[in-house]
Amino acid sequence: MIVMKFGGSSVANAERIRHVASIIQAYRKDRPVVVLSAMGDTTDHLLEAADMAVRGTVDCEKIEKLHRETAKELGVTVSAIDELLEELKTLLTGISMLRELTRRTRDYLVSFGERMSVRMMAAYLKQQGTDAQFYDAWDIGMVSDSNYMSAELLDDVWENIPKALSDYRDKKTDAIPIVTGFIAKDKNGIITTLGRGGSDLSATMIGAAMKADEIQTWKDVDGIMTTDPRVVPEARPVPEVTYEEAQELAMFGAQVLHPRSMIPCRKTGTPVRVKNSYNIKSPGSLIVESHTGQRPPVTAITTVKNVTLIDIQSSRMLGASGFLAHIFNQFLKWEISIDVIATSEVSVSLTVNTKRDLTGLIEDLSRVAEVHANKDKAIVTIICDASHSSNILAQAFGALSEKGINVQMISQGASKVNISMLVQNNQADDVVRILHAALFK
């Protein structure tokens, strides 16, 4: 058994749905469980409709037009989608009367995208002669806490999912399960959403709970690349990365699985394969617990742009523990995450990747330190075997020195697979090109 996850762009219209259906059919012998996102920009359109409803106007024309025209183009009749559209209009009417959108109601609202998507795909597969059955996530036991907009799955799912899909697992039915990603229900039966990376989490949770042979996430590139091919056309697929390397890649800008989605498969050791929906024959990139062959010194290079560097130097004779405790407490207070950090006893340099106003944070930090914030920076990260860090850094800094580029900060140590450096925003792409040429010869 395998789990196949397709994002919104993969099912954006009738043409893409036909293509994804052909991929599902090609893997039919592997007994796939399919996890889908909402069609294209449906989630954004639902939120637009909610904003209009809060202002008193009920309008879901964009959503209705996309789904009705797609069904017509596919030649399928999906009465279940008609029912959901009527339910959506009723919900929007209620929002317009109250002129209010709570977090709980927002989760209910955005769930319509995934729910319509799976019904569309199941109907088309059946029309093409492939038995399929759509499931809302809660139908297979996806139960979460009640933290609306960013819910976490409960441990119950480990038993619920295999029980709900036992007939398919035991080959008592051949109907391919088509399951909504991103959503669940809490123990009170209220719809929740799983927040960032929610569809990936749905897929890895199902795969881990079902002890699948493999979890596949389908994208538009040949797997995980050595760097962004839009920046470096010579970038090439990485055959294999570890869970830890994939998490670091995702944390530092690469479009891989969201780090939290790795948690279920890491518990069971279930491999994850990143595949290209436009190149089905490509093997893609495999994410595993540890490298099966010789570990390469450098796996990939990634970048995060538009970060802010904050330099903090103690202005009082605080001990190191008191100074650092005060700093981190302020970041906790303002709920701002730190990306990269370098410290000495009485000074700290760190980066934050946020669009929020930092005025309050900086004022609080300034009570015990001199603080300087500098915008327009970029983090360039080398995902590598840090046991070879001396050699990697020698090559990297040698290449950058030849081009006259100075690194403003470096962080390496906490992670054994990551070396991060800070450069000017407008230098980031050049730095990635230089490092890629130096490290991937």
Side-chain angles (χ1 to χ4, degrees):
M1 177 180 289
I2 63 173
V3 174
M4 309 174 77
K5 180 257 176 179
F6 296 92
S9 61
S10 295
V11 290
N13 52 44
E15 179 185 357
R16 297 299 298 143
I17 288 173
R18 288 192 190 97
H19 182 64
V20 168
S22 72
I23 296 174
I24 295 169
Q25 289 168 322
Y27 282 83
R28 190 174 178 178
K29 62 179 176 57
D30 295 313
R31 299 192 69 77
V33 176
V34 179
V35 176
L36 296 184
S37 296
M39 289 181 62
D41 296 326
T42 298
T43 301
D44 289 338
H45 292 157
L46 285 164
L47 292 172
E48 287 174 14
D51 288 340
M52 292 177 66
V54 169
R55 297 193 297 269
T57 301
V58 175
D59 183 359
C60 58
E61 182 181 354
K62 288 181 181 178
I63 302 145
E64 186 170 0
K65 181 179 179 182
L66 173 64
H67 289 83
R68 292 199 191 282
E69 288 186 354
T70 300
K72 183 178 180 180
E73 193 173 340
L74 292 173
V76 297
T77 301
V78 192
S79 57
I81 288 181
D82 293 333
E83 293 170 5
L84 286 176
L85 286 170
E86 290 305 312
E87 185 181 339
L88 173 60
K89 290 175 186 175
T90 301
L91 174 60
L92 290 171
T93 300
I95 293 170
S96 71
M97 293 175 69
L98 293 172
R99 301 293 178 96
E100 180 183 35
L101 181 67
T102 64
R103 293 167 65 91
R104 171 174 158 173
T105 303
R106 184 187 183 279
D107 278 4
Y108 177 21
L109 176 84
V110 298
S111 75
F112 283 90
E114 274 73 11
R115 292 157 71 193
M116 290 190 285
S117 177
V118 297
R119 285 155 174 79
M120 189 81 73
M121 181 62 76
Y124 181 69
L125 284 168
K126 286 181 180 179
Q127 185 223 63
Q128 295 298 302
T130 298
D131 197 10
Q133 175 61 51
F134 69 81
Y135 293 91
D136 293 324
W138 43 87
D139 295 333
I140 65 164
M142 295 285 257
V143 59
S144 74
D145 60 23
S146 301
N147 184 22
Y148 302 112
M149 294 175 58
S150 189
E152 294 291 346
L153 295 172
L154 302 182
D155 287 342
D156 304 46
V157 299
W158 288 96
E159 293 183 6
N160 294 348
I161 294 170
K163 188 181 299 182
L165 295 176
S166 61
D167 283 353
Y168 184 66
R169 178 196 61 203
D170 299 337
K171 300 183 179 180
K172 294 178 182 178
T173 177
D174 291 326
I176 297 172
I178 313 294
V179 186
T180 57
F182 183 58
I183 60 177
K185 277 187 177 179
D186 66 14
K187 288 200 168 183
N188 296 316
I190 307 300
I191 293 175
T192 62
T193 61
L194 303 179
R196 291 185 62 196
S199 290
D200 288 336
L201 178 59
S202 300
T204 56
M205 188 66 250
I206 293 169
M210 293 298 292
K211 296 182 173 60
D213 298 312
E214 187 173 278
I215 300 161
Q216 298 176 350
T217 179
W218 289 77
K219 299 183 178 294
D220 57 1
V221 292
D222 284 338
I224 298 169
M225 308 296 285
T226 50
T227 195
D228 188 340
R230 295 169 298 183
V231 176
V232 182
E234 299 79 25
R236 53 185 184 263
V238 179
E240 183 181 78
V241 301
T242 65
Y243 295 128
E244 185 179 10
E245 289 170 336
Q247 284 181 307
E248 293 288 330
L249 278 165
M251 289 293 292
F252 288 98
Q255 298 298 311
V256 196
L257 278 74
H258 192 276
R260 68 197 284 253
S261 69
M262 294 288 177
I263 297 170
C265 51
R266 291 197 74 167
K267 285 185 178 180
T268 57
T270 307
V272 180
R273 191 179 296 274
V274 182
K275 295 272 288 178
N276 187 350
S277 60
Y278 293 96
N279 185 10
I280 188 172
K281 293 183 180 179
S282 171
S285 301
L286 194 64
I287 306 173
V288 291
E289 182 62 42
S290 58
H291 285 282
T292 56
Q294 184 176 0
R295 182 179 183 180
V298 178
T299 300
I301 301 167
T302 187
T303 184
V304 178
K305 295 181 181 179
N306 302 313
V307 303
T308 298
L309 170 65
I310 303 177
D311 290 317
I312 308 165
Q313 184 163 358
S314 176
S315 56
R316 298 182 185 178
M317 297 304 292
L318 288 178
S321 59
F323 174 57
L324 292 175
H326 177 80
I327 289 172
F328 293 128
N329 281 336
Q330 303 319 306
F331 280 88
L332 176 64
K333 170 186 172 181
W334 290 96
E335 297 182 342
I336 294 175
S337 297
I338 298 168
D339 293 324
V340 175
I341 185 168
T343 70
S344 69
E345 186 173 4
V346 291
S347 65
V348 178
S349 293
L350 50 82
T351 67
V352 295
N353 182 21
T354 177
K355 296 179 180 178
R356 288 176 51 187
D357 183 4
L358 299 176
T359 304
L361 170 68
I362 291 172
E363 286 179 355
D364 282 349
L365 291 172
S366 297
R367 293 191 175 96
V368 296
E370 294 179 11
V371 183
H372 301 281
N374 297 285
K375 297 181 179 180
D376 300 322
K377 307 295 182 182
I379 303 167
V380 177
T381 299
I382 304 170
I383 304 300
C384 61
D385 180 355
S387 65
H388 297 285
S389 61
S390 294
N391 185 44
I392 293 167
L393 286 169
Q395 293 181 67
F397 281 100
L400 292 174
S401 177
E402 286 182 9
K403 300 296 182 179
I405 294 176
N406 291 313
V407 171
Q408 300 173 29
M409 173 179 156
I410 185 167
S411 177
Q412 186 245 324
S415 167
K416 304 306 178 187
V417 300
N418 167 335
I419 298 172
S420 292
M421 57 189 73
L422 195 74
V423 298
Q424 288 296 119
N425 220 34
N426 57 12
Q427 294 178 320
D429 287 351
D430 286 338
V431 169
V432 170
R433 293 185 192 101
I434 292 165
L435 293 179
H436 194 275
L439 300 173
F440 292 97
K441 297 177 180 178

